[in-house]
Amino acid sequence: MLALLIQTLNITAPVFAMLFMGVLLKRIRLIDDNFNRVASQLVFNVCMPALLFLGIYHADLGAAVKPGVLLYFIAATLVGFAIAWGLAIWRCPEADRGIYTQGAFRGNNGVIGLALAASLYGDYGISLGAVLAGLVILLYNSLSAVVLAVYSPDLKSDPWSICKSIFSNPLIISVLVATPMAYGQVPLPNWLLTSGDYLAQMTLPLALICIGGTLSLAALRDSGRLAIDASLVKMLWLPLVGTLGAWLCGFRGAELGILFLYIGSPTAAASYVMARAASGNHELAASIIVVTTLMAAITTNIGIFILQWGGWI
């Protein structure tokens, strides 16, 4: 039992250590809000696209593209979105419903989910995680844009505006470019692949430090009932239902493990940016990010421990 616990911590501790290092560096003023803003833009526009591109380009797509996993994740995301929106209508003032819904269903899979998948399953985790990340970006951005636009006077929810925001996303572009190149086995010069690998290796540590640097304990103190409620949905109920459903559908091994990590990842930091753009309650969005990220350090370890103890992953 102790050996299994140590094995679980060896998987998750490096990820959360980098995240809390960001908290420490911000506290001792080695990084500031300007660093977080610039570094986050670098990760979003350059490093993360490079990581996703190389993860797919080098992948054996016959092994990494799992139609059953993709279809299940789509279904789980849509069900989670519907549950979160229904709870928001029941429990929230109208102005906060979009923020609550987004916070309760949108996971940080592009960074934390992918980092944990890589830590648990190595190159295969990156390959399958990168394919799932492309799907995640498409689903989360589309659904978030819709629910925020419904309750925002500033956002457009017409199909053209949503499609434009999706297909101008650098992460989506990298996935769409890499997939046919991987299938066609298009050769690229070694110097270009090596340079891209340098950028890709920066992605996860830099992104995790930025997330840690943006966590606000003041936002946590001011979070209130809605933030706690949305966080419990995101980190407890949806992972429990989603992982149990995946187990009942027969998923085992890496497929079940990555589905758990992606469904159970904390709320994406991008939800704060979208909340501000929608002129919504961005303090609530920040609070949900803080609470879910702190909860993830506990729930992720417990979930991996139980799944390994049962011999299911």
Side-chain angles (χ1 to χ4, degrees), residues 46-312:
V46 180
C47 299
M48 181 66 75
L51 177 67
L52 294 178
F53 178 89
L54 292 176
I56 293 174
Y57 181 79
H58 290 307
D60 177 3
L61 291 185
V65 176
K66 301 285 190 179
V69 175
L70 299 180
L71 289 173
Y72 182 83
F73 188 79
I74 291 173
T77 299
L78 293 175
V79 169
F81 176 71
I83 291 172
W85 199 345
L87 289 171
I89 293 172
W90 176 37
R91 300 178 67 85
C92 291
E94 184 171 352
D96 291 338
R97 289 174 184 171
I99 308 301
Y100 179 102
T101 302
Q102 182 184 220
F105 94 95
R106 182 176 187 170
N108 196 343
N109 297 323
V111 178
I112 294 179
L114 186 58
L116 288 169
S119 180
L120 186 56
Y121 296 111
D123 290 340
Y124 179 73
I126 291 179
S127 298
L128 179 55
V131 172
L132 265 180
L135 181 63
V136 161
I137 293 161
L138 182 64
L139 279 173
Y140 285 176
N141 280 283
S142 301
L143 296 174
S144 295
V146 169
V147 74
L148 289 174
V150 167
Y151 298 106
S152 170
D154 298 334
L155 291 183
K156 297 179 180 179
S157 58
D158 60 279
W160 168 247
S161 297
I162 293 173
C163 288
K164 185 178 178 181
S165 68
I166 292 170
F167 290 106
S168 61
N169 187 310
L171 308 182
I172 289 288
I173 293 171
S174 69
V175 171
L176 293 178
V177 172
T179 301
M181 293 184 70
Y183 272 119
Q185 297 184 334
V186 178
L188 291 174
N190 285 333
W191 68 265
L192 183 60
L193 293 175
T194 302
S195 299
D197 192 50
Y198 290 157
L199 290 171
Q201 290 178 27
M202 293 170 55
T203 305
L204 298 178
L206 185 57
L208 291 167
I209 286 172
C210 288
I211 292 173
T214 57
L215 295 182
S216 168
L217 294 180
L220 177 59
R221 287 193 298 268
D222 298 336
S223 58
R225 178 186 61 82
L226 287 181
I228 300 297
D229 194 67
S231 299
L232 288 173
V233 173
K234 180 70 192 76
M235 299 309 300
L236 185 60
W237 301 117
L238 292 186
L240 184 61
V241 172
T243 306
L244 178 60
W247 183 83
L248 291 173
C249 288
F251 292 107
R252 298 291 186 274
E255 296 177 359
L256 180 61
I258 292 176
L259 282 171
F260 163 71
L261 293 174
Y262 270 52
I263 296 172
S265 64
T267 301
S271 63
Y272 175 81
V273 178
M274 291 192 69
R276 295 206 71 150
S279 299
N281 186 351
H282 56 272
E283 290 89 356
L284 175 60
S287 299
I288 295 172
I289 293 169
V290 173
V291 176
T292 56
T293 302
L294 294 174
M295 289 180 67
I298 300 172
T299 57
T300 302
N301 282 295
I302 292 174
I304 292 176
F305 179 83
I306 291 173
L307 292 173
Q308 288 186 325
W309 177 73
W312 300 311

Side-chain angles (χ1 to χ4, degrees), residues 26 31-41 209-210 213-214:
K26 176 70 178 297
I31 64 175
D32 56 15
D33 291 335
N34 185 60
F35 171 87
N36 290 329
R37 179 180 59 82
V38 174
S40 295
Q41 290 177 347
I209 286 172
C210 288
T214 57

